[in-house]
Amino acid sequence: GKTHAYLLPILSQIDPSKTYVQALILVPTNELVMQVERMLKEVTEAFIVKTYYGGQNKMREQEWLLKHQPQIVISTPQQIVDYVFVEKRLKIHTSSYVVFDEADMMFDEAFLSMLDQILPAIQQAKFMLFSATIHQTMEPFMKRYFGSYDLIDTTKKHDLPITYKLINIKYQSRMDALLEVLKHINPYLCFIFVSKKENQDAVYNQLLEHGYSAININASLGVKKRSKLIEDINNLKYQY
């Protein structure tokens, strides 16, 4: 819903006869680039859309940009820095709309240093930030980079029927507690989040040993491999 909330209004304002960048959509991860592109193409294929993320054939993309410019760009900030400022092939200064999706993930030092390069390159645009959470700590950054802004908080208008449970395991190991929980549930699809990547393999191997249908996904797998795994997850190939 959040992605369509900005995609649909922006698409209604894009002029297909103008072959320059009209909308720039920034997301923090490669997977989100592909996800937003997929959702956009489900709505329409009437526009020239380019996605930029790690692991692509950059030479081919740079050659295309020598002769063309996309109307909509979906990218991570790092790739925008590469294509706009390093290679000087992508021209984002014409953008009328700039979206920061999952904005709360972009307000750290690494992303902010990229924003310091990207924002001055855009002449005049409407900036939109979307996030499941807006922390008070983000407000100074929002004022610094975007000045005055309107905050639309949809959480205050909706009471979602979600139940959160906290399990106090005291002296029991977390792995034993997890396996105990799994004995009592049979979810359609379940995500298990692990706080540290180095602990993922241990959790994953325990699930396999106990006969659960599981897949282990993390950044070290590479973009193409993760993309294939996400497709398998969407097709319900794994339960955990």
Side-chain angles (χ1 to χ4, degrees):
K2 175 164 60 69
T3 305
H4 284 114
Y6 65 76
L7 274 182
L8 297 178
I10 288 176
L11 291 174
S12 71
Q13 300 298 315
I14 299 295
D15 186 343
S17 68
K18 296 177 179 177
T19 54
Y20 54 77
V21 178
Q22 300 177 52
L24 171 63
I25 300 171
L26 294 173
V27 295
T29 67
N30 296 323
E31 284 76 20
L32 280 171
V33 171
M34 292 179 275
Q35 178 180 309
V36 173
E37 180 193 31
R38 185 171 63 249
M39 295 177 75
L40 190 156
K41 288 187 174 180
E42 287 172 355
V43 175
T44 180
E45 294 196 16
F47 303 107
I48 304 170
V49 181
K50 276 292 182 179
T51 56
Y52 300 115
Y53 52 87
Q56 284 178 304
N57 184 332
K58 280 196 171 184
M59 188 67 70
R60 184 178 61 201
E61 294 298 331
Q62 290 169 21
E63 289 175 359
W64 186 91
L65 287 168
L66 279 174
K67 299 178 181 178
H68 315 88
Q69 287 292 304
Q71 294 165 322
I72 302 172
V73 175
I74 308 168
S75 176
T76 60
Q78 180 62 65
Q79 296 304 313
I80 291 297
V81 170
D82 288 348
Y83 280 97
V84 176
F85 305 105
V86 179
E87 305 298 338
K88 302 185 188 304
R89 300 290 173 88
L90 180 64
K91 299 175 175 62
I92 61 171
H93 67 278
T94 55
S95 301
S96 297
Y97 301 93
V98 179
V99 171
F100 297 84
D101 199 354
E102 303 295 348
D104 58 326
M105 294 176 64
M106 295 196 201
F107 284 93
D108 64 26
E109 191 171 335
F111 278 119
L112 290 176
S113 65
M114 295 181 218
L115 295 187
D116 284 332
Q117 296 181 71
I118 295 169
L119 294 182
I122 298 166
Q123 293 178 349
Q124 188 172 3
K126 176 176 283 187
F127 293 93
M128 292 172 280
L129 283 68
F130 291 83
S131 175
T133 54
I134 296 289
H135 304 293
Q136 283 188 333
T137 54
M138 292 169 58
E139 291 184 14
F141 296 110
M142 291 163 65
K143 289 180 179 177
R144 171 186 167 188
Y145 285 94
F146 308 105
S148 60
Y149 58 86
D150 294 319
L151 177 63
I152 302 172
D153 187 353
T154 60
T155 60
K156 293 181 179 178
K157 298 179 181 178
H158 298 281
D159 184 16
L160 300 177
I162 298 174
T163 301
Y164 299 92
K165 295 184 182 293
L166 172 66
I167 300 175
N168 188 342
I169 62 172
K170 294 184 179 178
Y171 303 111
Q172 186 182 14
S173 80
R174 285 197 304 250
M175 192 65 245
D176 289 343
L178 174 61
L179 292 172
E180 190 65 30
V181 168
L182 298 189
K183 289 180 184 178
H184 301 284
I185 63 174
N186 184 29
Y188 189 69
L189 178 66
C190 177
F191 286 89
I192 299 173
F193 291 97
V194 182
S195 60
K196 295 180 180 179
K197 190 170 72 172
E198 54 264 32
N199 295 334
Q200 280 186 239
D201 288 342
V203 174
Y204 173 61
N205 290 329
Q206 281 286 322
L207 293 182
L208 293 184
E209 286 180 18
H210 286 78
Y212 291 105
S213 172
I215 190 64
N216 185 16
I217 185 167
N218 58 58
S220 61
L221 292 175
V223 176
K224 290 184 179 180
K225 178 66 174 176
R226 296 202 307 272
S227 180
K228 178 63 171 65
L229 290 180
I230 289 173
E231 184 180 321
D232 290 341
I233 292 169
N234 284 328
N235 292 329
L236 300 177
K237 190 173 179 180
Y238 307 99
Q239 187 176 19
Y240 296 95

